[in-house]
Amino acid sequence: MSGNAHLEVPKPFDTARWQARLDELLAAHHVPGAALAVLADGEIHELASGILHTGTGVGTTTDSVFQIGSVSKGYTAALAVLLADTGKLDLDAPVVDVLPDFAVADAEASRTVTPRQLLNHTSGIEGDHVNDTGRGDDCLARYVESARNVGMTNPPGATMSYSSTGYNVLGRIVEVVTGKTWDEALKELLLDPLGLDRTMTLPEEVLRFRAAMGHMGEPGEDPVPTPLWNMLPRSAGPYGGISATAADVVRFARLFVDGGTAPDGTRVLSSAAVEAMLNREVAMPDEWFLGAHWGLGWGLFEWDGARGFGHDGSTFGQLAYLRAIPEKGLAVALLTNGGSAAPKVYETLCRELTAELAGISMPAFGPPEEPPVVNTAPFTGTYKREGFLMTIADRPFGEDPSGEGVLRLTYEGAEGLAGTFDPLVWNLTPVSDTPSRTVFAGRRNEKDGWIPVVFYALADGSRYVHFGVRATAKSTA
C-alpha cells in the first residue's frame, strides 16, 4: 500500500507525550508491562510502563531486562558475517566444511547447505527443532548432533522458510571458528565493543537485574504469569536466547544505522559487512509480516521509499519488536511481557513514531472493502511440517454472525506435539489473486489484527502456504 506523501515535517521526541501514549496503549490492550527505546535525532530515548510481574507488582523501569526471542537471530547473524568479513568463514562453502559431522535427514541438503542459506532462511531445513541438550558448554554441539533426523520444508534455495534450527547451526559454526562458546563470542565480539552491559544470554546473568516475567491470556483479558520465567533451553541461545533492555536493543540496531561503528568511533563491523546484512538476498512470498525481502539476518522493508530492517521475537509470554530506518536515523524497540494484543501496541506505536519522527507512513495490511472472488479449490487440504499440521477448509459465508472469510485455517500440533495445545483457528478473507500467488488476510476474531496467509507454487509446481514466515508444503496423500 502506498504511503502518505503529505505527512508533517518530522518533530523532535516529546518524552511526556510518548510516555502517556505508552501508558494508554498498555492499559487498553491488557499488556502488563513494556519498555520502549527510540533512536531519534542522534539520541536514545527510553520509556517504561506497567509492571514486570502481576504476582509481585514490581514496576517496569527503563533498565528492566526482557527476553527478546528471535531478535537474537540478528546478533548471531552479525557474528557469522563478521567472521566471514575477516576471512575466517566462507558463507558460500558447504556447512560441512566447518562442521564435518553436520547432517539432516536429507543427504543432499547435508552435503550442500551453506551458511548463507542458513542466514537468509533458504536452507529448507525444518525450522522448529527444539531440544534441551543441557546447560553445559557443549549444548550446541549436542544440538547439532541431534538434528540428524530433522526433515526439510523444501529443497535448498527453492523458497524462503524461517528456520530457527538453521540459526543454531550458525551458532555452532561460530563456536568452531572462534574456539569459544557462542555466549563468549557474542560478548567479546559484539556486546563488549558496543558497551551492551545489559545484554546477556544466561539466567544467572539476568538475575543481577530487574527481569520481566512473561504473561499469557486471551484477548480482552488480563493475562496471568507463565509457570516458568524461561521455558527455552540453553541450546536455544543463537535463535532466541538473548535478554536485554530496550535501550540495548536499540544500541545494537544503531550499529547498522551508523554503518558499523560504535558511538565512540570503534569499528565493530566493516561497512561492507553492514551492507551485506542489509542486502536484499531473497524475496519473501509474504511481503508484509517482516518485510518484502530477507537479508543476512534481518527482515527488510521499504516504507514511503525509505529502506529499513527489523525483526520480531517471542518467547513464552514475552514479545519483542525492532524496526530501524537507517537513512532517517531512526530505530524503535518495544519489549513487552505478555498480553495477546501486544502486536497491536507495537503496530500503533511504530506507525505513530515513524510518522512523527521520520515523516514516513507505515503500511497496513488487511483485506480490501470488496475482497476479490477467488477459486478456493486449489488451496483446501492439509499442509504439514515437523510437529505441526494446518488444515485449510472452505468456510460457508454467514456460518457465524461475523460472516467473515471464505476459508478456515486450523493449526494444531502433530506427532510429538499432538495435543500439546488447543487447535488455533483463523478465518481467511481474500486480499489479492495473481498467477504467481493468492493472498488472504486471516484473523481469529474481530479483536485480532490481520495476518497474511499466502498460497503459491514452487518452480516444480508443488503447492505451498506461507504462514508465520514459514513455508509448508501441501500434502499429496
Side-chain angles (χ1 to χ4, degrees):
M1 299 182 184
S2 63
N4 184 348
H6 304 291
L7 289 172
E8 297 180 5
V9 175
K11 301 176 182 178
F13 192 87
D14 183 340
T15 301
R17 164 173 146 65
W18 292 112
Q19 181 66 62
R21 189 63 172 134
L22 180 62
D23 296 343
E24 176 186 24
L25 287 169
L26 293 197
H29 294 290
H30 301 271
V31 175
L36 173 68
V38 180
L39 170 66
D41 299 322
E43 296 183 15
I44 295 177
H45 308 272
E46 303 178 59
L47 303 174
S49 183
I51 56 177
L52 294 174
H53 190 319
T54 57
T56 65
V58 174
T60 309
T61 55
T62 56
D63 61 356
S64 297
V65 172
F66 290 73
Q67 297 166 26
I68 68 170
S70 286
V71 180
S72 304
K73 290 182 173 69
Y75 297 69
T76 297
L79 288 174
V81 173
L82 186 156
L83 294 175
D85 191 54
T86 55
K88 298 177 181 177
L89 176 65
D90 185 346
L91 296 183
D92 296 304
V95 168
V96 289
D97 284 5
V98 182
L99 306 180
D101 296 329
F102 165 74
V104 290
D106 184 90
E108 181 65 16
S110 301
R111 290 193 298 270
T112 63
V113 162
T114 67
R116 184 179 300 277
Q117 291 174 321
L118 300 177
L119 285 163
N120 64 27
H121 296 290
T122 61
S123 71
I125 298 172
E126 287 276 7
D128 299 302
H129 176 58
V130 178
N131 188 15
D132 187 348
T133 53
R135 282 295 313 275
D137 287 351
D138 63 346
C139 66
L140 280 180
R142 295 175 63 193
Y143 176 96
V144 172
E145 183 179 351
S146 77
R148 288 181 170 273
N149 295 321
V150 172
M152 305 290 289
T153 60
N154 53 265
T159 188
M160 183 275 180
S161 187
Y162 190 82
S163 178
S164 291
T165 310
Y167 267 72
N168 264 14
V169 176
L170 284 169
R172 179 56 183 156
I173 289 173
V174 169
E175 291 189 331
V176 170
V177 172
T178 63
K180 307 175 187 297
T181 65
W182 170 80
D183 313 76
E184 292 168 342
L186 176 70
K187 188 173 188 303
E188 292 181 21
L189 297 177
L190 291 178
L191 304 187
D192 286 350
L194 290 171
L196 305 184
D197 55 8
R198 287 184 181 267
T199 301
M200 61 223 68
T201 59
L202 300 174
E204 54 268 32
E205 297 173 317
V206 176
L207 280 171
R208 297 181 295 146
F209 306 104
R210 295 167 73 97
M213 187 72 178
H215 297 75
M216 303 187 80
E218 292 300 314
E221 298 178 359
D222 289 328
V224 297
T226 52
L228 298 173
W229 170 75
N230 187 0
M231 299 184 194
L232 291 175
R234 183 181 176 186
S235 61
Y239 71 69
I242 293 176
S243 294
T245 62
D248 261 16
V249 174
V250 166
R251 290 185 185 102
F252 179 63
R254 188 174 190 170
L255 175 66
F256 301 90
V257 173
D258 291 345
T261 60
D264 66 0
T266 301
R267 178 155 292 283
V268 180
L269 289 175
S270 72
S271 57
V274 170
E275 184 178 345
M277 290 187 69
L278 301 182
N279 182 55
R280 294 174 172 179
E281 289 269 322
V282 58
M284 295 280 285
D286 159 15
E287 65 188 66
W288 301 274
F289 196 85
L290 275 170
H293 295 83
W294 209 273
L296 298 181
W298 296 120
L300 306 177
F301 57 86
E302 185 171 318
W303 298 343
D304 273 354
R307 291 191 177 190
F309 67 90
H311 215 296
D312 294 351
S314 65
T315 61
F316 293 92
Q318 300 198 39
L319 294 165
Y321 305 91
L322 171 66
R323 296 293 185 274
I325 306 173
E327 68 186 74
K328 299 293 184 179
L330 180 69
V332 177
L334 177 71
L335 309 184
T336 71
N337 65 347
S340 61
K344 284 192 172 182
V345 176
Y346 148 71
E347 184 176 346
T348 302
L349 275 173
C350 193
R351 177 170 286 110
E352 294 177 2
L353 284 162
T354 53
E356 183 164 309
L357 302 176
I360 287 176
S361 176
M362 173 183 167
F365 174 78
E369 290 186 9
E370 295 186 12
V373 176
V374 302
N375 174 20
T376 60
F379 314 127
T380 57
T382 58
Y383 298 75
K384 189 175 181 302
R385 57 187 173 83
E386 185 175 329
F388 298 96
L389 174 68
M390 281 182 279
T391 303
I392 308 292
D394 283 313
R395 181 182 182 279
F397 187 81
E399 184 179 342
D400 64 34
S402 74
E404 184 179 274
V406 298
L407 289 174
R408 171 184 285 126
L409 185 160
T410 303
Y411 186 85
E412 56 193 317
E415 300 156 335
L417 294 179
T420 57
F421 60 91
D422 293 334
L424 304 174
V425 178
W426 284 266
N427 295 328
L428 307 185
T429 300
V431 173
S432 63
D433 186 24
T434 68
S436 60
R437 67 177 184 181
T438 302
V439 180
F440 288 79
R443 62 181 180 182
R444 297 171 60 190
N445 55 62
E446 292 181 339
K447 295 180 180 180
D448 277 354
W450 295 101
I451 60 172
V453 181
V454 180
F455 296 92
Y456 65 114
L458 300 188
D460 64 3
S462 56
R463 291 193 173 274
Y464 275 73
V465 63
H466 216 258
F467 176 67
V469 283
R470 290 164 172 83
T472 306
K474 186 176 183 180
S475 300
T476 55

